[in-house]
Amino acid sequence: MAPNFDPSRGVVFDLAEGRIELSDGDPYLMVPVAALSALAAGQTDARGLGRAIGGKVALRVAKRLAMPIGRSGTMPPSATLGAALRQASIETLVELLGGELAVLGLGSLRVERWGKAMIFVLDPCGVDARADELVLGVIEGMLSSATDREVSAAVVDRSGKTARVLVGNPRAIAFAVERSRDGTFFTDIVRALHGPGLDSSGHEREGGV
């Protein structure tokens, strides 16, 4: 007689590491079906998939904060998602956003402050450098939804299983990407953003880059 399927420990969530494992021991990610289908159909790319995931993350965090959600799944005009999330402390947001990312298998999140710059650190990161576009999309999607403005991101450091993602406006991030491609260490990139050539908003100063 064939054995019955035993689902016990078929899926293991390691929230401290932000890792999902099936019985084969390999890591897996949880992805919205609609977003994955769009990728399979060629209607989006890895970054677009990430942004869809990140937007859902922000929405779930808003629900956890007991904010009013409209029937469509979005915040009503009188209480936008960004305004609602901005009422929470940065510690609360990092805790909730990090918890959501961990449940998805994307890793363990913390935030580093470097002057006015903010770096989101996945340590460990649930995916390797081949999926950096996906990671960037997730960070951009959840922060753009949370702040009601366009947020750009760039991986500025990959050390072992750790990924550091700098967030900011498109001009500052374009500067960071250029320096990162030149091999500039991430601390020097952050220092340059605060230096005389380029301010932390990514605007050139007189005599700068």
Side-chain angles (χ1 to χ4, degrees):
M1 182 177 178
N4 294 326
F5 175 71
D6 180 6
S8 61
R9 296 193 64 80
V11 181
V12 177
F13 290 87
D14 182 346
L15 296 184
E17 294 288 307
R19 181 182 175 96
I20 303 172
E21 287 186 2
L22 298 188
S23 57
D24 56 13
D26 286 339
Y28 287 80
L29 298 181
M30 292 182 65
V31 179
V33 170
L36 183 61
S37 297
L39 179 68
Q43 297 170 351
T44 189
D45 55 13
R47 201 155 188 155
L49 173 62
R51 290 183 72 90
I53 294 171
K56 291 286 189 179
V57 166
L59 179 60
R60 290 195 297 274
V61 168
K63 290 181 178 179
R64 288 182 181 276
L65 291 170
M67 300 300 177
I69 305 295
R71 288 186 178 181
S72 64
T74 59
M75 301 298 294
S78 60
T80 65
L81 180 60
L85 293 177
R86 282 196 296 272
Q87 294 177 16
S89 67
I90 184 64
E91 293 79 11
T92 297
L93 287 179
V94 171
E95 171 73 18
L96 294 179
L97 292 172
E100 291 290 342
L101 294 183
V103 168
L104 296 178
L106 282 167
S108 180
L109 179 71
R110 71 173 188 271
V111 171
E112 295 177 348
R113 291 277 197 174
W114 295 79
K116 294 181 179 180
M118 183 177 292
I119 295 181
F120 283 73
V121 185
L122 286 166
D123 182 20
C125 182
V127 294
D128 61 40
R130 293 173 297 176
D132 276 355
E133 285 294 302
L134 173 69
V135 172
L136 293 176
V138 171
I139 299 296
E140 290 173 346
M142 69 182 190
L143 294 183
S144 293
S145 295
T147 61
D148 262 353
R149 62 185 177 85
E150 193 64 24
V151 175
S152 296
V155 175
V156 292
D157 179 57
R158 269 281 189 177
S159 302
K161 294 183 178 181
T162 302
R164 283 183 169 84
V165 180
L166 177 69
V167 298
N169 66 42
R171 188 180 182 88
I173 295 305
F175 172 84
V177 169
E178 181 181 352
R179 292 297 184 271
S180 183
R181 287 173 178 169
D182 290 341
T184 304
F185 195 57
F186 81 93
T187 54
D188 294 324
I189 293 173
V190 173
R191 188 177 299 112
L193 286 171
H194 288 85
L198 197 71
D199 67 22
S200 59
S201 298
H203 296 110
E204 292 183 11
R205 295 193 179 110
E206 185 176 352
V209 295

